[in-house]
Amino acid sequence: MHSYDEPVYLISVVAKVLDIHPQTLRQYEKEGLIEPDRTEGKMRLYSERDVDRIKMILRLTRDLGVNLAGVDVVFQLKEQIEEYEKVVDELRSDIERLSQGTKVTKGSLVKRKSRFDLIFYDDKKDKK
């Protein structure tokens, strides 16, 4: 069995399974919505993850009437949400780790990330 990210499907197989024209897959790639791997002979190979992403594109375009530019925006927002969820999970882990065995002191806690800083500050501490 192959992994979810392993590129194993040719463009003709994916097109047939999803009942779309291979040119549609080429267009999705041209628009930057999918990035299939390539063999040394430059043949496109799609992974199960790619196929699921294509299914999502088809749902958005066919069922919801979203154009390809809108699909790109949806995917960008989805990626941002996933990044934010990771940050929240890391912060929860940090809070859990800090609160186990030690008393969490009030004050500031700065968590550095590549795009932004999250700063938690208890202003009651400065008023003493």
Side-chain angles (χ1 to χ4, degrees):
M1 192 72 189
H2 56 274
S3 75
Y4 188 60
D5 293 313
E6 184 179 353
V8 292
Y9 304 110
L10 294 171
I11 191 170
S12 59
V13 173
V14 174
K16 186 172 184 171
V17 167
L18 298 177
D19 194 28
I20 58 177
H21 196 279
Q23 190 61 37
T24 303
L25 294 170
R26 292 183 191 100
Q27 181 66 32
Y28 293 168
E29 183 179 3
K30 182 179 176 185
E31 296 286 333
L33 298 174
I34 56 173
E35 295 180 31
D37 282 1
R38 301 283 184 134
T39 64
E40 290 182 17
K42 302 295 180 190
M43 293 177 61
R44 291 171 178 86
L45 286 178
Y46 296 85
S47 67
E48 196 67 38
R49 182 180 305 276
D50 294 327
V51 172
D52 285 346
R53 188 171 174 99
I54 295 164
K55 287 178 184 177
M56 176 64 81
I57 294 168
L58 293 172
R59 267 184 256 140
L60 289 168
T61 56
R62 289 178 179 171
D63 300 342
L64 300 175
V66 178
N67 64 23
L68 294 182
V71 170
D72 186 43
V73 170
V74 168
F75 283 157
Q76 288 178 26
L77 291 172
K78 185 177 180 290
E79 289 173 12
Q80 275 187 324
I81 289 169
E82 288 170 355
E83 286 179 25
Y84 295 149
E85 286 174 343
K86 286 180 185 176
V87 170
V88 168
D89 288 343
E90 289 175 10
L91 289 172
R92 283 186 179 137
S93 294
D94 289 348
I95 290 169
E96 179 69 26
R97 182 180 46 81
L98 289 170
S99 65
Q100 288 179 352
T102 61
K103 184 177 178 185
V104 178
T105 59
K106 303 235 182 232
S108 63
L109 169 66
V110 177
K111 180 72 176 178
R112 293 232 178 239
K113 289 290 165 194
S114 60
R115 292 188 184 183
F116 58 89
D117 293 337
L118 289 178
I119 301 174
F120 299 96
Y121 188 75
D122 182 6
D123 62 347
K124 293 175 188 172
K125 184 177 181 180
D126 285 345
K127 292 180 182 178
K128 291 182 181 179

